[in-house]
Amino acid sequence: MSFQKSPGTQDILPGSVERWQFVEQTARDICRRFNFREIRTPMFESTDLFRRGVGETTDIVEKEMYTFTDRGNRSITLRPEGTAGVVRSYVENKLYGEPDIAKLYYIGPMFRYERQQAGRYRQFHQFGVEALGSADPALDAEVIALGYSFYTEVGLQGVRVEINSVGTPSVRANFREKLLAFLEPKRHLLCKDCQSRIERNPLRVLDCKVDQEHFEGAPSILDSLDEECRNHFDKVKTYLSDMAIPFEVNPKLVRGLDYYTHTAFEFKAEGIGAIDTIGGGGRYNGLVAEIGGPDQPGVGLGLGLERTIMLLEHQERELPDPHRVDVYLVALGEAAERRITQLAYELRKAGIRAERDYQGRKMKAQMKSADRYAARFTAILGDDELSRGEIALKDMASGEQKVVALDRLAQEIAGTK
Ligand code: HAM
């Protein structure tokens, strides 16, 4: 009997894990500079949290959740996204009681039972941030700037920022009426998904990929905004312009989750089949209260790491720090073998990435192994050198070879980094 990974999951093997580490490291470093601090919440939560938090009529809750009953008869769901759990934790741990706002970030797996296609997985990873406790539009702009910096610093090109205002619930109720009046006569022309979505979530209909031709002349939510919403949106745009972040206003942009108010935004790029959205987020001023907390506003984003990495590969971006060993130790003879076991440990403690043979191979095979590890140096220890307290050090790029004292090996290698 043999086993294979479940559909929609991935093994991240050495060779590609270095890219993941680089992307995660970049995310952490950006959060440090923007002063967001890490939060780690559970990978599963009670199902009701996501029903309330993400929204009953969303695709996620209607058909994509990994939900099961545990042995204590609780309905549990593997988190399909990060915001609901972070907000639950913010409320439960009373982070709102602190004098400053909460600026939090997370990196981790999320789970959605989605139809498989390029860039769509059932276990995928998000880098997300949530800023809770302020309605200042400067924070919306800061979160967008943070996302933009992430894509820039990992080296992605051609990332577009689209923004919209989805208003407040009352603005949306108003707009919904106008939109329904526009959509009703066209109902029979629309795709099956949209036909069933019209009443439940007409704003999502405008976002449909296949029906765009029927939406010419559709009312725009931007014309329905009240003064407060318009002011907020204008400020976000001003701040983004001040920071020289290029963006486009897309009045049809609605997100797949119900909690957004005011600003909604997406990061888009071409190169992953039919998918062009690589990250998104927005403001969610009602969510904290919705899940039982005080009426605190929030804004955040979630960026898909699989999609980021697929695009980096598609654009053939080189890793700034490729995987290579500093030194490969070759031992000739038993006494030398014993000495390099100790030597490898000393080098590693001194910060040097050292590798050696563990399969009793001949010198030639060990040299080939050093090549496969892209070793910068090979250090060869025979009985003669050992008796003199020396080792032969070969620079693999230049082919130059010299003999150095064993106790100076670490300095020699470190000095050339
Ligand atoms: P979302 O738009 O549902 O937002 O997901 C954010 C990103 O996660 C997507 O743009 C995409 O890159 C990635 N993603 C989503 N589903 C999949 C999948 N099946 N396979 C691969 N990647 C996927 C949220 O989740 C919100 N929590 C973002 C947010 C945070 N809003 C405010 N704060």
Side-chain angles (χ1 to χ4, degrees):
M1 194 158 149
S2 68
F3 296 99
Q4 290 174 334
K5 60 184 182 302
S6 296
T9 64
Q10 281 198 101
D11 295 316
I12 303 170
L13 303 176
S16 44
V17 81
E18 288 77 12
R19 209 178 272 282
W20 281 83
Q21 290 167 340
F22 162 67
V23 163
E24 289 164 2
Q25 199 45 52
T26 308
R28 288 182 193 285
D29 191 57
I30 287 172
C31 285
R32 183 185 60 77
R33 284 178 274 143
F34 281 69
N35 198 29
F36 280 72
R37 296 172 72 191
E38 186 174 9
I39 181 167
R40 300 187 186 189
T41 62
M43 233 124 17
F44 59 83
E45 301 265 0
S46 78
T47 303
D48 285 342
L49 173 68
F50 299 114
R51 285 187 181 286
R52 289 213 131 215
V54 176
E56 295 278 2
T57 62
T58 58
D59 282 353
I60 296 179
V61 169
E62 279 187 350
K63 44 191 188 202
E64 295 169 1
M65 295 206 300
Y66 276 91
T67 297
F68 60 97
T69 308
D70 74 4
R71 285 168 194 272
N73 234 0
R74 299 172 195 90
S75 181
I76 296 290
T77 294
L78 300 186
R79 63 180 185 195
E81 57 102 50
T83 313
V86 169
V87 171
R88 195 259 321 129
S89 175
Y90 171 79
V91 174
E92 188 172 339
N93 296 293
K94 300 195 173 54
L95 300 185
Y96 51 81
E98 297 185 0
D100 293 311
I101 66 162
K103 294 171 74 178
L104 305 165
Y105 83 90
Y106 49 90
I107 299 174
M110 310 288 159
F111 307 85
R112 296 184 194 176
Y113 192 87
E114 292 211 65
R115 203 166 41 78
Q116 280 202 80
Q117 87 186 77
R120 189 158 275 159
Y121 296 90
R122 292 183 178 166
Q123 172 173 331
F124 61 97
H125 299 75
Q126 280 184 357
F127 159 41
V129 310
E130 315 292 348
L132 293 138
S134 164
D136 189 339
L139 209 46
D140 309 36
E142 178 172 313
V143 166
I144 295 171
L146 184 154
Y148 188 75
S149 302
F150 169 76
Y151 290 120
T152 309
E153 291 187 25
V154 296
L156 267 193
Q157 287 180 346
V159 176
R160 291 176 286 119
V161 184
E162 291 189 1
I163 65 169
N164 191 19
S165 173
V166 296
T168 54
S170 72
V171 161
R172 263 201 312 272
N174 203 334
F175 175 61
R176 187 174 184 271
E177 294 309 312
K178 289 192 206 160
L179 189 58
L180 276 177
F182 172 83
L183 291 174
E184 267 307 336
K186 301 178 190 289
R187 178 190 280 265
H188 61 285
L189 302 169
L190 305 181
C191 73
K192 260 177 52 201
D193 272 354
C194 284
Q195 292 193 4
S196 80
R197 214 179 252 155
I198 277 195
E199 273 87 21
R200 283 181 301 127
N201 203 342
L203 272 74
R204 286 295 307 281
V205 171
L206 280 190
D207 200 31
C208 175
K209 283 224 161 66
V210 286
D211 288 333
Q212 283 306 319
E213 55 174 319
H214 306 302
F215 300 150
E216 192 95 4
S220 161
I221 189 154
L222 296 179
D223 299 328
S224 294
L225 296 183
D226 60 20
E227 206 185 323
E228 186 226 334
C229 292
R230 225 183 353 260
N231 276 340
H232 187 96
F233 194 45
D234 285 344
K235 283 191 177 147
V236 174
K237 288 187 288 185
T238 303
Y239 295 143
L240 287 175
S241 302
D242 288 349
M243 292 187 276
I245 309 256
F247 65 88
E248 293 155 51
V249 173
N250 173 3
K252 287 185 182 151
L253 184 126
V254 262
R255 309 255 308 119
L257 303 96
D258 277 355
Y259 44 61
Y260 294 109
T261 57
H262 297 283
T263 320
F265 59 86
E266 281 185 344
F267 296 96
K268 296 191 174 174
E270 316 308 319
I272 319 178
I275 284 178
D276 62 358
T277 301
I278 56 175
R283 181 162 276 289
Y284 46 85
N285 287 353
L287 180 60
V288 182
E290 177 71 30
I291 68 162
D295 193 11
Q296 290 283 355
V299 57
L301 57 69
L303 312 180
L305 297 189
E306 280 76 5
R307 294 183 189 177
T308 304
I309 284 162
M310 286 171 86
L311 281 177
L312 286 172
E313 279 163 4
H314 178 75
Q315 296 185 0
E316 298 181 354
R317 297 274 144 235
E318 299 250 331
L319 271 177
D321 179 20
H323 167 89
R324 55 187 307 197
V325 151
D326 292 323
V327 61
Y328 191 95
L329 300 169
V330 177
L332 307 172
E334 229 171 86
E337 161 98 27
R338 178 173 167 193
R339 186 68 176 90
I340 67 153
T341 303
Q342 178 197 356
L343 198 56
Y345 177 60
E346 283 165 3
L347 292 172
R348 289 164 180 165
K349 278 199 296 182
I352 289 164
R353 185 173 193 163
E355 190 50 281
R356 53 164 293 190
D357 170 73
Y358 304 93
Q359 290 157 283
R361 291 179 293 194
K362 298 245 160 39
M363 163 119 169
K364 200 167 153 203
Q366 293 195 35
M367 296 303 282
K368 279 197 182 145
S369 178
D371 275 341
R372 281 193 298 274
Y373 285 115
R376 293 195 299 120
F377 291 97
T378 326
I380 304 156
L381 190 62
D383 286 340
D384 283 356
E385 289 95 351
L386 183 58
S387 63
R388 291 196 304 268
E390 290 174 345
I391 190 163
L393 185 64
K394 181 173 178 189
D395 182 327
M396 300 299 272
S398 66
E400 227 174 86
Q401 188 161 326
K402 60 180 171 184
V403 174
V404 301
L406 271 171
D407 55 14
R408 288 206 37 87
L409 183 61
Q411 280 128 294
E412 281 288 333
I413 295 169
T416 62
K417 264 201 193 181

